[in-house]
Amino acid sequence: MFAVGSAPAQAATSATAAGAAADSPCGWFISSGLAKYNHCDYNRVVIRVSRLIGSDFDKCVGPGVTTLGIHPAVNGAWYAGRTC
């Protein structure tokens, strides 16, 4: 019974990620002067965030769009090759 109950929740999460992917490009992008990252899968991953001033850092993101800061202070982000 637990597996049946968890299937709709997983489907809803996948639908949310799919909706975000349709509205924004996957990966790093700029929108309205803000640097953002759209993770188009259902899991949580680590991304590397590049900053113009200060140290780059790793951030765990889930499905959908995450705002990273003002562009060009944040000037890039990419998948770091691992989950979190």
Side-chain angles (χ1 to χ4, degrees), residues 4 7 9 11 13 18-20 22 25-26 29 32 37 44 47-48 54-55 58-61 63 65 68 73 76 83:
V4 173
T13 301
C26 296
F29 67 100
S32 301
Y37 188 90
R44 297 179 62 80
I47 61 171
R48 184 72 175 172
S55 299
D58 290 345
K59 181 173 183 68
C60 180
V61 298
V65 177
L68 302 172
T83 58

Side-chain angles (χ1 to χ4, degrees), residues 10-77:
Q10 185 177 13
T13 301
S14 296
T16 301
D23 295 339
S24 304
C26 296
W28 182 76
F29 67 100
I30 302 165
S31 176
S32 301
L34 296 174
K36 299 181 179 190
Y37 188 90
N38 185 14
H39 178 53
C40 293
D41 208 345
Y42 64 91
N43 57 355
R44 297 179 62 80
V45 298
V46 176
I47 61 171
R48 184 72 175 172
V49 180
S50 175
R51 298 192 310 173
L52 185 62
I53 299 173
S55 299
D56 296 350
F57 63 94
D58 290 345
K59 181 173 183 68
C60 180
V61 298
V65 177
T66 300
T67 301
L68 302 172
I70 298 170
H71 181 266
V74 174
N75 58 4

